[in-house]
């Protein structure tokens, strides 16, 4: 998909790769993502471009945005990002246990990460980084033909070198220390519908606002996790001993507290705030291609982002209360870490 903007001086290119990990290789995609950034980040910065690699519920999205004058060079950066990895070591760290038993966390589990080898990462790359599993979204003063020409050999071994530039040396990431639990952590999670339903985002925004009011002596927040076919509403908090009971009680009662705050005005305001933020993000070339590309990955249709905005306009206090009741019936699943 191309958003042509003849007068612009900035171009954004996004390539998304559909990717499904087997249980034994969960977390390998994170290594592909990290390795891709390590390989091309310095090269991108040399021309004032910015490159990102994002692990999504549907795969990995590689995005580069920079001056139109360096279009061919940015296309080379994308080819490098999706090319076959050359891994000489694998770093694994202990991650949060998954909250949904039916789907693997994008970061993998402690057990799966221990099994990952350079060979298994390459196998995942070979199985998934294929043209029939890729979509491209572009924005800028370009036409379709140059994009096709620049990205026609998107998948393969790493190029010998960039157009008229020397490849940048990759710098290995610093080792991370082992975390230590000093506070009591508590969290609850609920299934929150599929990624095309904006009610989850509105509910998460309202619950987060409610939680921030009156939170004293502890930290707490609301997150919306996206999986391939569903979303998870997670409420987590951390507190030292004397405030731990208050924090836990607040989290356990948050959805009921949020229900009491649902009014027509509050629901409309939250939906309008989300719509404004989505449209504001789409005002930049990289924001536009990421918004459209992400919803295209979720729905399989180029109108996915527009359909999401339309559904957002249909959120009301009544529909939000109905959605909240469905969310409550799915949980909670709770987890706790003690010092």
């Amino acid at each position: 998909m191309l958003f042509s903007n003849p007068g612009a001086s900035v171009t954004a290119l996004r390539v998304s790769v559909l990717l499904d990990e087997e249980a034994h290789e969960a977390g390998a995609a994170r290594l592909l993502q990290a390795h891709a950034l390590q390989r091309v980040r310095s090269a991108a910065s040399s021309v004032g471009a910015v490159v990102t690699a994002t692990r999504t519920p549907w795969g990995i999205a590689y995005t580069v945005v920079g001056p139109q004058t360096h279009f061919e060079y940015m296309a080379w950066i994308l080819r490098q990002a999706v090319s076959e990895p050359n891994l000489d070591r694998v770093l694994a760290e202990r991650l949060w246990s998954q909250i949904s038993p039916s789907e693997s966390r994008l970061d993998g589990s402690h057990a799966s990460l221990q099994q990952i080898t350079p060979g298994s990462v390459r196998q995942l790359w070979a199985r998934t980084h294929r043209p029939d599993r890729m979509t491209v979204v572009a924005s800028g003063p370009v036409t379709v033909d140059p994009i096709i020409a620049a990205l026609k050999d998107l998948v393969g071994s790493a190029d010998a070198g960039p157009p008229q530039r020397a490849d940048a040396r990759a710098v290995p990431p610093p080792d991370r220390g082992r975390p230590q639990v000093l506070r009591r952590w508590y969290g609850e999670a609920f299934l929150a519908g599929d990624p095309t339903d904006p009610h989850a985002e509105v509910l998460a925004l309202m619950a987060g606002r409610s939680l921030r009011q009156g939170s004293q002596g502890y930290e707490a927040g609301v997150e919306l996790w996206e999986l391939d076919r569903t979303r998870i509403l997670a409420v987590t908090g951390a507190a030292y001993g004397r405030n731990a009971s208050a924090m836990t009680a607040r989290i356990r009662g948050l959805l009921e507290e949020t229900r009491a705050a649902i009014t027509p005005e509050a629901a409309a305001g939250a939906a309008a705030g989300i719509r404004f933020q989505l449209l504001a993000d789409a005002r930049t070339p990289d924001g536009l291609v990421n918004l459209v590309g992400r919803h295209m990955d979720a729905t399989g249709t180029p109108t996915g982002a527009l359909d999401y905005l339309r559904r957002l306009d249909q959120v009301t206090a009544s529909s939000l209360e109905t959605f909240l009741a469905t969310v409550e019936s799915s949980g909670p699943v709770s987890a706790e870490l003690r010092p």
Side-chain angles (χ1 to χ4, degrees):
M1 173 175 284
L2 170 63
F3 295 91
S4 183
N5 189 357
S9 60
V10 175
T11 293
L13 299 169
R14 180 186 191 271
V15 174
S16 60
V17 181
L18 295 179
L19 186 150
D20 300 312
E21 291 173 319
E22 302 293 339
H24 67 278
E25 59 189 8
R30 285 291 194 189
L31 297 177
L32 283 176
Q33 170 196 354
H35 181 73
L37 284 178
Q38 175 181 305
R39 180 162 48 186
V40 302
R41 183 174 281 150
S42 295
S45 64
S46 68
V47 296
V50 176
V51 63
T52 59
T54 307
R55 180 69 169 100
T56 74
W58 310 280
I60 303 177
Y62 305 90
T63 303
V64 61
V65 56
Q68 168 60 19
T69 53
H70 295 292
F71 170 76
E72 292 185 358
Y73 186 76
M74 291 191 298
W76 172 83
I77 289 173
L78 279 183
R79 293 199 302 271
Q80 292 296 296
V82 302
S83 63
E84 182 178 4
N86 181 21
L87 300 173
D88 56 1
R89 66 192 181 106
V90 175
L91 299 178
E93 59 181 278
R94 183 178 180 181
L95 303 169
W96 288 91
S97 61
Q98 63 183 42
I99 197 66
S100 176
S102 61
E103 300 199 41
S104 297
R105 279 185 60 87
L106 303 182
D107 293 323
S109 65
H110 182 59
S112 68
L113 288 173
Q114 287 183 316
Q115 301 179 55
I116 291 176
T117 65
S120 63
V121 176
R122 291 191 185 94
Q123 289 175 4
L124 176 65
W125 174 87
R127 193 178 77 242
T128 59
H129 283 56
R130 308 194 313 262
D132 61 336
R133 298 177 65 87
M134 292 183 174
T135 58
V136 178
V137 180
S139 172
V142 291
T143 58
V144 172
D145 289 343
I147 295 175
I148 293 176
L151 301 179
K152 64 179 180 180
D153 299 322
L154 192 61
V155 180
S157 299
D159 293 348
Q164 301 179 350
R165 283 187 178 272
D167 192 5
R169 293 183 179 181
V171 179
D175 292 333
R176 298 178 179 176
R178 187 179 182 88
Q180 183 177 6
V181 179
L182 300 177
R183 294 176 291 177
R184 179 181 174 186
W185 292 76
Y186 179 77
E188 293 187 348
F190 305 80
L191 294 178
D194 66 75
T196 66
D197 190 345
H199 282 87
E201 200 166 354
V202 175
L203 179 61
L205 177 61
M206 293 189 64
R209 288 176 176 174
S210 180
L211 186 59
R212 286 191 295 272
Q213 297 175 357
S215 295
Q216 297 182 354
Y218 55 86
E219 297 178 11
V222 178
E223 296 181 6
L224 196 59
W225 300 342
E226 285 190 334
L227 301 179
D228 185 8
R229 294 175 295 276
T230 189
R231 282 172 160 177
I232 292 176
L233 182 71
V235 187
T236 60
Y240 292 103
R242 62 181 180 180
N243 297 309
S245 296
M247 178 267 296
T248 302
R250 186 78 186 283
I251 290 176
R252 288 174 175 169
L254 181 61
L255 292 190
E256 188 61 33
E257 181 180 324
T258 305
R259 174 183 282 105
I262 296 177
T263 64
E265 295 77 15
I274 292 171
R275 179 185 179 86
F276 175 83
Q277 189 59 56
L278 289 174
L279 294 178
D281 292 343
R283 294 180 65 181
T284 63
D286 54 330
L288 178 62
V289 299
N290 279 308
L291 174 65
V292 174
R294 186 174 185 82
H295 284 276
M296 188 187 302
D297 292 342
T299 64
T301 171
T303 63
L306 182 59
D307 294 338
Y308 189 84
L309 290 173
R310 288 171 176 166
R311 296 186 68 180
L312 190 59
D313 289 337
Q314 299 171 0
V315 174
T316 65
S318 177
S319 66
L320 191 59
E321 289 179 350
T322 301
F323 180 79
L324 175 55
T326 302
V327 170
E328 288 179 313
S329 68
S330 72
V333 174
S334 62
E336 185 175 25
L337 288 177
R338 292 178 177 269

